[in-house]
Amino acid sequence: RFALDEADEYFSQGYDLLTRTAERTDVEMRLMFDLLDRWGRVFNYRGNFRDLLERLQPHEADADALADPARQAMFYAWKGYALFFVDRIREAELDVRRALALGEESGDRRAIAYACTWLSMVCSARALYAEGIACGERAQELISSDIDEDFLANEIMAQTVFNYWMMGEAEKT
């Protein structure tokens, strides 16, 4: 708990520094989106999805204006993830599908893996289990080679297993 509080405080200070003026350079804008991406895990571990959504939503126009599809993909992946947990499933699906398209446009394996993972989660809620499993397997292939993120690896496994379980195929887990 205390480590999360400390991490949240540091992210908050960085965010305040990066957003204190309306005019930001391209470098500051990229740093802000990197910070929001990394901060997403803190919100996740706290189960604080409404606050994550409230932190992200004011920056949607900035994300759309960003000439960086990989960062855009991560923004929409986290936004879709937060929407899922505040029970806005259809909106979550739209955002994670957008994240996947942006990730594919950029060729960024990490962004694609995150988008596939969150899409797998959304698919389980919409009874699209086969698609959810395919997304989870794709994400697993992407991270197995060169992306070292334990958080993502655990989420991929959990979402894929949940889709199998919902299909009644728990033995495959």
Side-chain angles (χ1 to χ4, degrees), residues 74-116:
M74 289 307 300
F75 174 84
Y76 281 104
W78 279 112
K79 183 173 171 262
Y81 185 72
L83 285 164
F84 179 88
F85 283 105
V86 297
D87 204 26
R88 292 165 56 186
I89 307 301
R90 186 66 185 127
E91 292 171 80
E93 181 179 6
L94 293 173
D95 277 349
V96 294
R97 288 191 187 281
R98 183 174 184 182
L100 181 55
L102 287 161
E104 289 171 340
E105 177 186 332
S106 73
D108 186 284
R109 296 167 61 87
R110 179 177 174 270
I112 297 168
Y114 267 90
C116 283

Side-chain angles (χ1 to χ4, degrees), residues 8 11 15 19 24 29-44 48-66 70-86 88 91-92 95-96 98-99 114 118:
D8 187 61
F11 279 118
Y15 178 82
T19 59
R24 287 184 284 286
M29 193 68 77
R30 287 192 304 272
L31 285 171
M32 183 187 70
F33 280 99
D34 289 347
L35 182 140
L36 290 170
D37 174 15
R38 301 293 191 235
W39 202 357
R41 280 181 231 140
V42 174
F43 285 100
N44 173 72
N48 199 343
F49 303 105
R50 286 193 196 290
D51 285 353
L52 173 58
L53 191 56
E54 288 173 8
R55 184 64 71 187
L56 293 171
Q57 283 179 318
H59 299 292
E60 191 161 356
D62 293 331
D64 291 340
L66 199 62
R71 284 185 173 90
Q72 288 174 312
M74 289 307 300
F75 174 84
Y76 281 104
W78 279 112
K79 183 173 171 262
Y81 185 72
L83 285 164
F84 179 88
F85 283 105
V86 297
R88 292 165 56 186
E91 292 171 80
D95 277 349
V96 294
R98 183 174 184 182
Y114 267 90
W118 301 155

Side-chain angles (χ1 to χ4, degrees), residues 124-144:
S124 70
R126 301 220 36 246
L128 302 170
Y129 308 124
E131 182 181 1
I133 291 165
C135 288
E137 289 173 348
R138 181 176 180 201
Q140 183 62 48
E141 289 172 11
L142 288 166
I143 70 154
S144 63

